[in-house]
Coordinates of all heavy atoms in Angstrom, one line a residue:
Chain I
A379 N 7.3 1.7 7.4 CA 6.8 3.0 7.3 C 6.6 3.5 5.8 O 7.0 4.5 5.4 CB 7.7 4.0 8.0
Y380 N 5.9 2.6 5.0 CA 5.8 3.0 3.6 C 4.8 4.2 3.5 O 3.7 4.1 4.0 CB 5.2 1.8 2.8 CG 6.1 0.7 2.4 CD1 7.5 0.7 2.9 CD2 5.7 -0.3 1.6 CE1 8.3 -0.3 2.5 CE2 6.6 -1.3 1.2 CZ 7.9 -1.3 1.7 OH 8.8 -2.3 1.3
P381 N 5.2 5.3 2.8 CA 4.3 6.3 2.4 C 3.5 5.8 1.2 O 3.9 4.9 0.5 CB 5.1 7.5 2.1 CG 6.5 6.9 1.7 CD 6.6 5.6 2.4
P382 N 2.3 6.3 0.9 CA 1.6 7.5 1.6 C 1.0 7.1 3.0 O 0.7 8.1 3.7 CB 0.5 7.8 0.6 CG 0.8 7.2 -0.7 CD 1.7 6.0 -0.3
L383 N 0.9 5.9 3.4 CA 0.3 5.5 4.6 C 0.9 6.3 5.8 O 0.3 6.8 6.7 CB 0.3 4.0 4.9 CG -0.5 3.5 6.1 CD1 -2.0 3.7 5.9 CD2 -0.2 2.1 6.4
S384 N 2.3 6.4 5.8 CA 3.0 7.0 6.9 C 3.1 8.5 6.7 O 3.6 9.2 7.6 CB 4.4 6.4 6.9 OG 5.1 6.6 5.7
A385 N 2.7 9.0 5.5 CA 2.9 10.4 5.3 C 1.7 11.3 5.6 O 1.8 12.5 5.8 CB 3.3 10.6 3.8
L386 N 0.5 10.7 5.5 CA -0.7 11.5 5.6 C -1.5 11.1 6.9 O -1.9 10.0 7.1 CB -1.6 11.2 4.4 CG -0.9 11.5 3.1 CD1 -1.6 10.9 1.9 CD2 -0.8 13.0 2.9
P387 N -1.6 12.1 7.8 CA -2.2 11.9 9.1 C -3.6 11.2 9.0 O -4.0 10.5 9.9 CB -2.3 13.3 9.7 CG -1.3 14.0 9.0 CD -1.1 13.5 7.6
G388 N -4.3 11.5 7.9 CA -5.7 10.9 7.8 C -5.7 9.4 7.4 O -6.7 8.8 7.4
A389 N -4.5 8.9 7.0 CA -4.6 7.5 6.5 C -4.7 6.4 7.5 O -5.3 5.4 7.3 CB -3.3 7.3 5.7
V390 N -4.2 6.7 8.7 CA -4.3 5.7 9.8 C -4.0 6.5 11.1 O -3.2 7.5 11.0 CB -3.3 4.6 9.6 CG1 -1.8 5.0 9.7 CG2 -3.6 3.4 10.6
P391 N -4.7 6.2 12.2 CA -4.5 7.1 13.4 C -3.0 7.3 13.8 O -2.6 8.4 14.2 CB -5.2 6.3 14.5 CG -6.3 5.5 13.8 CD -5.7 5.2 12.5
G392 N -2.2 6.2 13.7 CA -0.8 6.3 14.1 C 0.0 7.3 13.2 O 1.1 7.7 13.6
S393 N -0.5 7.7 12.0 CA 0.2 8.6 11.2 C 0.0 10.0 11.6 O 0.3 11.0 10.9 CB -0.2 8.4 9.7 OG 0.4 7.3 9.2
G394 N -0.5 10.2 12.8 CA -0.5 11.6 13.4 C 0.8 11.9 13.9 O 1.9 11.6 13.3
L395 N 0.8 12.5 15.1 CA 2.1 12.8 15.7 C 3.0 11.6 15.9 O 4.2 11.7 15.9 CB 1.8 13.5 17.1 CG 3.0 14.3 17.7 CD1 3.7 15.2 16.7 CD2 2.5 15.1 18.9
G396 N 2.4 10.5 16.2 CA 3.2 9.2 16.4 C 4.2 9.0 15.4 O 5.3 8.6 15.7
Q397 N 3.8 9.2 14.1 CA 4.7 8.9 13.0 C 5.9 9.9 13.0 O 7.0 9.5 12.7 CB 4.0 8.9 11.7 CG 4.8 8.4 10.5 CD 5.1 6.9 10.6 OE1 4.2 6.1 10.8 NE2 6.3 6.5 10.4
S398 N 5.6 11.1 13.3 CA 6.7 12.2 13.3 C 7.7 11.8 14.4 O 8.9 11.9 14.2 CB 6.1 13.5 13.6 OG 5.3 13.9 12.5
V399 N 7.2 11.4 15.6 CA 8.0 11.0 16.7 C 8.9 9.8 16.3 O 10.1 9.8 16.5 CB 7.2 10.7 17.9 CG1 8.0 10.1 19.0 CG2 6.5 12.0 18.4
W400 N 8.3 8.9 15.6 CA 9.0 7.7 15.1 C 10.2 8.1 14.2 O 11.3 7.6 14.3 CB 8.0 6.8 14.3 CG 8.5 5.5 13.9 CD1 8.5 4.3 14.6 CD2 9.2 5.1 12.7 NE1 9.0 3.3 13.9 CE2 9.5 3.8 12.7 CE3 9.6 5.9 11.5 CZ2 10.1 3.1 11.6 CZ3 10.2 5.2 10.5 CH2 10.5 3.9 10.6
L401 N 9.9 9.0 13.2 CA 10.9 9.4 12.3 C 12.0 10.2 13.0 O 13.2 10.0 12.7 CB 10.3 10.3 11.2 CG 9.4 9.6 10.2 CD1 8.5 10.6 9.4 CD2 10.3 8.8 9.2
L402 N 11.6 11.0 13.9 CA 12.7 11.8 14.7 C 13.6 10.8 15.4 O 14.8 10.9 15.4 CB 11.9 12.7 15.7 CG 12.9 13.6 16.5 CD1 13.6 14.5 15.6 CD2 12.0 14.4 17.5
S403 N 12.9 9.8 16.1 CA 13.7 8.8 16.8 C 14.6 8.1 15.9 O 15.8 7.8 16.3 CB 12.7 7.9 17.6 OG 13.4 6.8 18.0
M404 N 14.1 7.7 14.7 CA 15.0 6.9 13.8 C 16.2 7.8 13.4 O 17.3 7.2 13.3 CB 14.2 6.5 12.6 CG 13.3 5.3 12.8 SD 14.1 3.9 13.5 CE 15.1 3.4 12.1
A405 N 15.9 9.0 13.1 CA 17.0 9.9 12.7 C 18.1 10.0 13.8 O 19.3 9.9 13.5 CB 16.5 11.3 12.3
L406 N 17.6 10.1 15.0 CA 18.6 10.2 16.2 C 19.3 8.9 16.3 O 20.5 8.8 16.6 CB 17.8 10.5 17.5 CG 17.3 11.9 17.6 CD1 16.4 12.0 18.8 CD2 18.5 12.9 17.7
F407 N 18.6 7.8 16.1 CA 19.2 6.4 16.2 C 20.3 6.3 15.2 O 21.4 5.8 15.6 CB 18.1 5.3 16.0 CG 18.8 4.0 15.7 CD1 19.2 3.2 16.8 CD2 19.0 3.6 14.4 CE1 19.8 2.0 16.5 CE2 19.6 2.3 14.2 CZ 20.0 1.5 15.2
I408 N 20.1 6.8 14.0 CA 21.1 6.6 13.0 C 22.3 7.5 13.3 O 23.5 7.1 13.2 CB 20.6 6.9 11.6 CG1 19.5 5.9 11.2 CG2 21.7 6.9 10.5 CD1 18.7 6.3 10.0
V409 N 22.1 8.7 13.9 CA 23.2 9.5 14.3 C 24.0 8.8 15.3 O 25.3 8.7 15.2 CB 22.7 10.9 14.8 CG1 23.8 11.6 15.5 CG2 22.0 11.7 13.7

Side-chain angles (χ1 to χ4, degrees):
Chain I
Y380 282 5
L383 189 65
S384 61
L386 301 165
V390 66
S393 285
L395 194 49
Q397 189 69 47
S398 294
V399 170
W400 186 93
L401 287 165
L402 180 65
S403 166
M404 285 304 293
L406 287 172
F407 165 82
I408 295 169
V409 169

